[in-house]
């Protein structure tokens, strides 16, 4: 049988679809004679890494044609000769929690070293520059965790051309580990899975951490509130806004108490 499925949006959207839809876990269940055409309509240039080392990779054809707005999808698919039909890959029930990420075997030693002692993931960059954790908060937030826990901090991120994305310098500290540009997307997802908690902005790893119910210090600008929390109900990008594991903070309202609350959640 030949199947088709697709995922779209930013990396955070795709993490959301992985956990909310049933197609991603179904990829592990296809028969040896099956083949799946998979399209990522995504603006993350590294998105192909997500399935590059999957256990069934030889049975996939993966397309990464770029990104378009939803209103442009029909023309975009025509331009790239993509299927216009709805995905027909069977689904496992959407409440499945047994999600596996497959990283590059060549990353195994690097990933093991990053996970060799308890840690917090630090991901200060988001999909848009105005959502990055401001430079003025980078050191206070990290030092607050380092001074109040025995945990180390693993700084992750990728430098790439979209929106001139440049990761900030990694703090020079014996308990801060630099993993910027050193891990693939699935390896970074594994890192979040094994972490004690996550410090980030409104980003892809924020969405992943919500699904994993990780303690999270989530810092973001007022624009996130205006865009995603207008009205009585948050939108799909803020589905975990009320999760008790998350400590929320607007950039311009940060105080040491926010780190203290986060540390309390890390300690259970």
């Amino acid at each position: 049988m030949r199947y088709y499925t697709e995922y779209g949006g930013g990396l955070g959207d795709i993490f959301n679809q992985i956990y909310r839809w049933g197609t991603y876990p179904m990829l592990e269940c296809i028969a040896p004679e099956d083949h799946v055409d998979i399209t990522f309509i995504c603006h993350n240039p590294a998105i192909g890494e997500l399935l590059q080392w999957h256990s069934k990779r030889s049975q996939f054809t993966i397309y990464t044609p770029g990104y378009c707005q939803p209103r442009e999808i029909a023309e975009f698919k025509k331009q790239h000769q993509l299927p216009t039909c709805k995905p027909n890959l069977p689904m496992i029930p959407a409440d499945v929690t047994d999600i596996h990420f497959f990283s590059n075997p060549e990353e195994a030693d690097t990933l093991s070293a990053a996970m060799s002692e308890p840690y917090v993931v630090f991901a200060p960059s988001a999909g848009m520059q105005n959502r990055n954790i401001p430079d003025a908060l980078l050191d206070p937030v990290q030092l607050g965790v380092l001074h109040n826990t025995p945990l180390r901090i693993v700084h992750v991120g990728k430098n790439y051309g979209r929106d001139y994305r440049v990761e900030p310098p990694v703090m020079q500290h014996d308990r801060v580990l630099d993993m910027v540009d050193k891990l693939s997307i699935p390896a970074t997802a594994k890192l979040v899975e094994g972490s004690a908690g996550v410090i980030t902005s409104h980003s892809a790893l924020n969405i992943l951490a919500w699904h994993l119910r990780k303690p999270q210090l989530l810092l973001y600008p007022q624009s996130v509130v205006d865009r995603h929390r207008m009205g009585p109900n948050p939108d799909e990008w803020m589905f975990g806004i009320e999760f008790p594991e998350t400590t929320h903070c607007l950039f311009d309202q940060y105080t040491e108490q926010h780190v203290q609350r986060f540390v309390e959640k890390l300690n259970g």
Side-chain angles (χ1 to χ4, degrees):
M1 176 73 79
R2 191 164 190 127
Y3 297 107
Y4 175 71
T5 191
E6 64 186 35
Y7 303 89
L11 178 58
D13 295 294
I14 291 173
F15 280 138
N16 198 25
Q17 292 155 20
I18 283 172
Y19 278 87
R20 287 192 153 183
W21 299 354
T23 54
Y24 180 86
M26 188 62 203
L27 293 172
E28 292 184 64
C29 302
I30 60 174
E33 66 274 14
D34 291 339
H35 191 89
V36 187
D37 295 306
I38 305 165
T39 298
F40 290 109
I41 302 175
C42 179
H43 46 59
N44 187 304
I47 192 59
E49 295 178 349
L50 192 58
L51 295 177
Q52 189 170 341
W53 301 283
H54 194 283
S55 62
K56 298 291 182 78
R57 175 64 181 89
S58 63
Q59 294 175 251
F60 303 158
T61 299
I62 298 173
Y63 305 93
T64 57
Y67 180 70
C68 72
Q69 296 293 332
R71 63 180 178 277
E72 302 166 345
I73 191 66
E75 182 60 31
F76 183 85
K77 285 192 169 188
K78 181 178 179 181
Q79 176 187 351
H80 292 280
Q81 300 180 319
L82 297 171
T84 56
C85 61
K86 293 182 178 180
N88 67 344
L89 184 69
M91 290 192 180
I92 289 175
D95 61 353
V96 65
T97 57
D98 192 18
I99 299 293
H100 302 132
F101 293 102
F102 297 86
S103 57
N104 186 346
E106 295 181 0
E107 297 176 290
D109 290 345
T110 301
L111 188 57
S112 294
M115 302 174 72
S116 62
E117 58 186 81
Y119 61 93
V120 168
V121 170
F122 183 56
S125 296
M128 291 184 282
Q129 284 186 323
N130 69 336
R131 295 185 180 182
N132 294 350
I133 297 176
D135 291 349
L137 296 184
L138 297 176
D139 286 358
V141 167
Q142 293 179 91
L143 290 172
V145 172
L146 294 171
H147 289 166
N148 289 284
T149 75
L151 301 169
R152 71 174 172 182
I153 290 174
V154 180
H155 186 141
V156 301
K158 281 182 179 286
N159 291 287
Y160 56 77
R162 177 178 174 260
D163 294 335
Y164 306 100
R165 182 188 178 108
V166 178
E167 295 293 328
V170 177
M171 176 186 285
Q172 299 302 301
H173 192 286
D174 61 0
R175 284 168 51 217
V176 176
L177 183 64
D178 181 1
M179 285 287 111
V180 174
D181 290 329
K182 296 178 182 177
L183 295 174
S184 66
I185 288 174
T188 303
K190 286 184 174 182
L191 193 73
V192 173
E193 285 180 329
S195 71
V198 176
I199 304 169
T200 187
S201 182
H202 186 62
S203 68
L205 295 192
N206 156 229
I207 302 296
L208 176 60
W210 265 336
H211 278 290
L212 295 170
R213 302 303 291 263
K214 291 290 181 178
Q216 189 169 176
L217 176 55
L218 180 60
L219 303 107
Y220 45 85
Q222 182 64 41
S223 61
V224 168
V225 178
D226 296 340
R227 180 170 180 178
H228 298 301
R229 296 181 63 188
M230 296 294 286
N233 299 305
D235 67 15
E236 63 182 297
W237 292 277
M238 299 295 276
F239 70 92
I241 193 71
E242 303 300 340
F243 282 3
E245 295 89 351
T246 305
T247 300
H248 295 270
C249 179
L250 289 172
F251 289 160
D252 60 0
Q253 296 180 6
Y254 172 78
T255 67
E256 292 181 6
Q257 283 69 39
H258 289 97
V259 168
Q260 291 171 7
R261 288 182 211 137
F262 174 59
V263 168
E264 289 171 2
K265 292 173 183 179
L266 289 175
N267 294 331

